[in-house]
Amino acid sequence: MKKQILTLAVVAVAGFGAFVAPVNAAGTAVELPKRDWSFDGALGTYDRNQLQRGFQVYKEVCAACHGLDRVFYRNLTALGYNEEQIKTIASEYSVVDGPDDEGEMFDRPARPSDRFVGPYPNIQAARSVNNGAYPPDLSLIAKSRAGGADYIAALLTGYEQAPADVEVMAGMHWNKYFNGHQIAMAAPLTDGQVSYADETPTTVDQMAQDVAAFLTWAAEPHMEVRKRMGVKVLIFLSIFAFIMYRVKRKIWRDVH
Amino acid sequence: MGSGPREDFKNPVVNWIDERLPVFTLMQKEYGVFPTPKNFNYFWNFGAIAMVVLVTMIVTGIFLAMNYTAHEDMAFDSVERIMRDVNYGWLLRYIHMNGASMFFIAIYIHIYRGMYYGSYKKPRELLWILGVLILVLLMATAFMGYTLPWSQMSGWGATVITSLFSAIPLVGDSLLTWLWGGFSVDNPTLNRFYALHYLLPFVICAVVFLHIWALHVTGSNNPLGIEPKGPQDTLPFHPYYTMKDSFGICVFLVFFAFMVFFAPNYLNHADHYVPFDPLVTPQHIVPEWYFLPFYAILRAVTFDIGIPLTKIVFIEAKLGGVLAMFGSIALLGFMPWLDTSKVRSAKFRPMYKLALFGLVAAFVALGIAGAKPAEGLWLYVSQVSMAYYFAFFVVILPMLGKIEKTKPLPGSIHEAVTAKAK
Ligand code: HEM
């Protein structure tokens, strides 16, 4: 019986891993470099300073082409901004509101309760200014690409000279990590493109790392609460399981 | 049901109710003193575990339903709103999403237990068939639930699986249109799947009730596969098995909680976070892990079935795959009659034990092959495994009863337990 359960457990774990590994690996042709993230592991958390830097990169670079529609300005409190700062950030954008008492639509500055204002009114407009390509909304990008943050950082730093035998199509760029290698997004980052408030160097690699962390937060804003609760739940359940084990042993003592 | 002679309860309120509706007598009889073989091992925990998961799914499902919108333009957004803005919505959704996987883990182990110890044999045939019915209902429920977030995997998974019905001769295409409520997987499909996803778990509850009723008529099987001969072979269900089950449930919940809190998307696919777009086909359409073995069988039939060396075809490959897939599940229901051996437990059936391990290996191999493109080596692996899967049921099982030399059975459960303790 013990042997059987053990074999079964081994088979199950191996099978489970084997089932799943290919499922998650599907879609990425090139092995992604594994980076270190503050949010790795069971106890990892977001690094507030990094999130703020990543937000700055998003705001000053990526937001020209990519929306972040599922995130609200009010959510930025999680990055360590206070309400005044968030009001100021939001007010830089304008949203269409209305109709007013005369039935007219009007523009007003965005408020913390508004969603991030996107660069385009609709998909058609987005395509027409991007050679027919559509820059996807980035709210969920970290969860909708295998590899998550590693993939985003790799993509942003993966622009290279195309191999001699490959002809890159007009308006396309060669990227080592993009599926099929030909991507409609030109390398968006160059060294020194933004100026960070802290001393962090603004290399392409650093900015890529920061914005990837920010986008991971945007896709999974409750990760820290989840892990913290998880630790408590696991401790509680383990103790409870141990108690039940003792109870069971005690009750069964006279049977064995 | 619980009527007939009854004993009084001390508590006057309980007694007053019980005199009029003997629910307490029933509970006492079925879960209190119910005589249960005393030699269960931990495989016997998984029925109770599946029960806990079922309740968990229903509770989290109802709270999700309060915030979910079944409309093609809003479904994905409403699930994301649950994840971000509903208080502890992420918790509900991750429990529900991973709960489906936990359900299948529990059920697959539960079924394996039944096969290993011969629990499907007389007099438990109907009990076993009700179990297979629960598996089928569970598959339908999980499949329809997976379409609700209306992601790329939802929409395309639903398209692939529903399209199977078009393989049915003559009526296939009309059936498919009827099923979809249109000419493709679209808003009407989402709405009906939602209605059915809400309904089916309660149908499962009803069948579980019958399953347990049937169990309490025949009594439980046990690792020795011999019937209890008297009180020395059994224990009252409470407190012995209530406490043992509670312990098993706690251990399972530790695993469940680990997945929910620390690896909630481990079993998920990245494309499940991309909204459904009927114009963009994903590169790989992969079903959830628990469907992979059956998906592999579906795709393993790449040949027409007919008279060899002629052009006469009875069953085209596509229909063949569909029949094989549904057949592989239906065969389970016939196990009580396919198995001709008098001995239940694999403990005393050396050849059956080997054959069953082979079946587990084939099932795992099918699962792995199911996640790979159906070509080359993997296609070959799934074809060989499928051949073994079917041979196990229709050739090996009936034959073993005739040729296998079984080991001698112990005189009674009590005798075996005390012999082991010495
Ligand atoms: C046998 C029990 C059940 C199983 C196996 C099951 C399975 C599933 C699965 C696999 C999903 C997709 C999860 C995802 O990928 O996000 C889902 C979603 C959903 N289920 Fe269930 N479910 C069950 C019971 C219920 C019940 C009883 C209800 C409602 C009363 C319900 C309501 C929902 C809703 C609203 C969703 C969409 C939200 C979401 O995707 O998280 N489920 N279910």
Side-chain angles (χ1 to χ4, degrees), chain B residues 33 76 114 173 197 382 394:
Chain B
V33 296
F76 190 92
D173 286 327
H197 184 71
S382 41
V394 295

Side-chain angles (χ1 to χ4, degrees), chain B residues 53-54 57-69 78-79 82-83 92-94 96-101 103-104 137-138 141-150 154 194 197-202 204 268 272 288 290:
Chain B
V53 181
L54 175 61
M57 293 307 280
I58 290 179
V59 172
T60 52
I62 287 175
F63 281 98
L64 284 171
M66 294 174 189
N67 296 287
Y68 171 79
T69 312
S78 73
V79 172
I82 292 173
M83 292 296 288
L92 287 173
R93 202 255 179 143
Y94 278 158
H96 200 76
M97 199 168 96
N98 285 282
S101 290
F103 212 146
F104 277 93
L137 288 168
L138 177 62
T141 307
F143 164 68
M144 290 194 240
Y146 194 62
T147 54
L148 300 187
W150 213 236
S154 298
Y194 183 42
H197 184 71
Y198 209 133
L199 171 67
L200 286 188
F202 297 95
I204 293 181
N268 210 343
H272 200 38
E288 294 281 83
Y290 38 78

